Amino acid sequence: QNSAVAKGESLEDFVRVMEGYCDVLVLRHPEKGAVQKAASSMRKPIINAGDGVGEHPTQALLDIFTIREEIGTVNGLTITLCGDLKHGRTVHSLVYLLSLYDVKLNLVSPKGLEMPPSMVADARARNISVTEHSTLDACIP
């Protein structure tokens, strides 16, 4: 209720004002694509801290950092993601980032909550082995 947008100011106007007060803007917004829209209105960098059901790249970076700190590498791992893969913006960003590594992905979700087909296709286009399952049992050796 106290935000600039709630008071009727457009997101584009808000980021133009913020540009005068910062070197970098970290933006979290409930609307999918809002960060990209804001970035087109601003010359300074914007860090996407999450946008609706779209992306959450800062969380994905933290996940990769944790894997590297704990295991030493991301390459060569089989990584299983399970749950609501359709709406989970954190897993969407993580799959995109993991597709830059040499990994195998297991995607486990209930029927109707599968990873969007376009994201699976994108990962496979980057030569990532992606296997989809409806139960976790299929992933346990």
Side-chain angles (χ1 to χ4, degrees):
Q1 72 186 18
N2 294 322
S3 74
V5 175
K7 293 176 183 175
E9 188 175 346
S10 73
L11 179 61
E12 293 86 352
D13 289 341
F14 167 74
V15 297
R16 279 191 218 101
V17 170
M18 290 306 296
E19 187 170 39
Y21 295 98
C22 66
D23 295 315
V24 176
L25 179 66
V26 178
L27 181 64
R28 183 175 188 150
H29 196 280
E31 180 184 315
K32 183 176 180 177
V35 176
Q36 188 173 17
K37 186 164 95 174
S40 68
S41 299
M42 190 172 166
R43 290 179 302 233
K44 293 187 179 171
I46 294 183
I47 296 174
N48 184 348
D51 65 336
V53 296
E55 297 287 334
H56 199 328
T58 49
Q59 181 63 51
L61 288 168
L62 198 58
D63 292 342
I64 294 294
F65 174 80
T66 301
I67 292 168
R68 291 183 66 172
E69 285 288 305
E70 294 297 319
I71 298 174
T73 186
V74 178
N75 288 314
L77 297 178
T78 298
I79 298 174
T80 302
L81 304 172
C82 52
D84 178 353
L85 304 181
K86 181 177 182 178
H87 302 106
R89 65 184 179 179
T90 55
V91 292
H92 294 173
S93 294
L94 186 56
V95 166
Y96 178 77
L97 189 54
L98 286 169
S99 72
L100 302 175
Y101 291 87
D102 176 25
V103 297
K104 293 180 182 177
L105 293 177
N106 288 317
L107 305 176
V108 182
S109 60
K111 187 170 177 61
L113 296 177
E114 298 92 348
M115 181 70 66
S118 62
M119 297 198 71
V120 174
D122 287 348
R124 288 181 175 145
R126 292 182 174 93
N127 294 317
I128 300 300
S129 170
V130 180
T131 309
E132 297 181 89
H133 305 281
S134 59
T135 67
L136 191 55
D137 293 339
C139 302
I140 299 172

